[in-house]
Amino acid sequence: MDKKKMEEAVRMILEAIGEDPDRQGLLDTPARVAKMYEEVFSGLKKDPAEHCKTVFEEEHDEVVLVKDIQFSSMCEHHLVPFFGVAHIAYIPKNGRVIGLSKLARIVDDFSKRPQLQERITTSVAELLMEELNPIGVMVVLEAEHMCMTIRGVKKQGAKTVTSAVRGEFRTNSKSRNEVLSLIKF
């Protein structure tokens, strides 16, 4: 990432809104913002599939669910944050299970980019289907979007829920409902 260019851009924004970027409180702001952008957009340099390279063989052929995985991202339309939780369920095929922390890392890698919630949800589901070849995958994200709460309609607390349902969870309502009840929807 080009930190110098980010710093120049932040300085220009401060000037454009009528602020003095040379006043004491703003002197280090361009550098701080550039450092923050490196962190919040760190997923641009990562391949989430790397987390799927280590799988384990375990005789388990029923639902595996990791819920309430906290995440944050930046709306690509307004460059303001959205944040919430992800719930990921899958049914292993042939005993292929992935480390639980790897699911959280996959969510992080996809969310640390200029993003849309819908894209994160679909990307996680598609990656797991492709890399693990499970019987089914369900990904549900719940998030609050600052582009809806601090600007525009200004609706504090409004949550957006997205889902991506693949394989057994798409074709079998009993399996899908089991996961939804475990998530508490």
Side-chain angles (χ1 to χ4, degrees), residues 108-123:
D108 279 349
D109 285 357
F110 280 121
S111 66
K112 298 296 183 208
R113 307 168 180 198
Q115 268 294 14
L116 298 176
Q117 181 175 332
E118 297 89 341
R119 186 180 308 125
I120 297 170
T121 309
T122 299
S123 297

Side-chain angles (χ1 to χ4, degrees), residues 85-88 121 138-142 161-164 180 183 185:
V85 293
H87 314 289
I88 302 173
T121 309
M138 181 184 282
V139 178
V140 178
L141 268 63
E142 306 173 67
V161 178
T162 53
S163 68
L180 293 174
I183 294 172
F185 269 104

Side-chain angles (χ1 to χ4, degrees), residues 6 19 60 62 82 114 126 138 140 150 175:
M6 285 189 279
E19 264 292 356
H60 186 80
E62 297 183 54
F82 64 97
E126 292 297 323
M138 181 184 282
V140 178
I150 65 170
S175 294

Side-chain angles (χ1 to χ4, degrees), residues 106 143 155:
I106 290 167
K155 298 300 177 198

Side-chain angles (χ1 to χ4, degrees), residues 86-104:
H87 314 289
I88 302 173
Y90 73 101
I91 302 173
K93 184 190 257 182
N94 301 324
R96 286 177 49 89
V97 298
I98 188 171
L100 302 176
S101 68
K102 303 302 186 195
L103 297 174

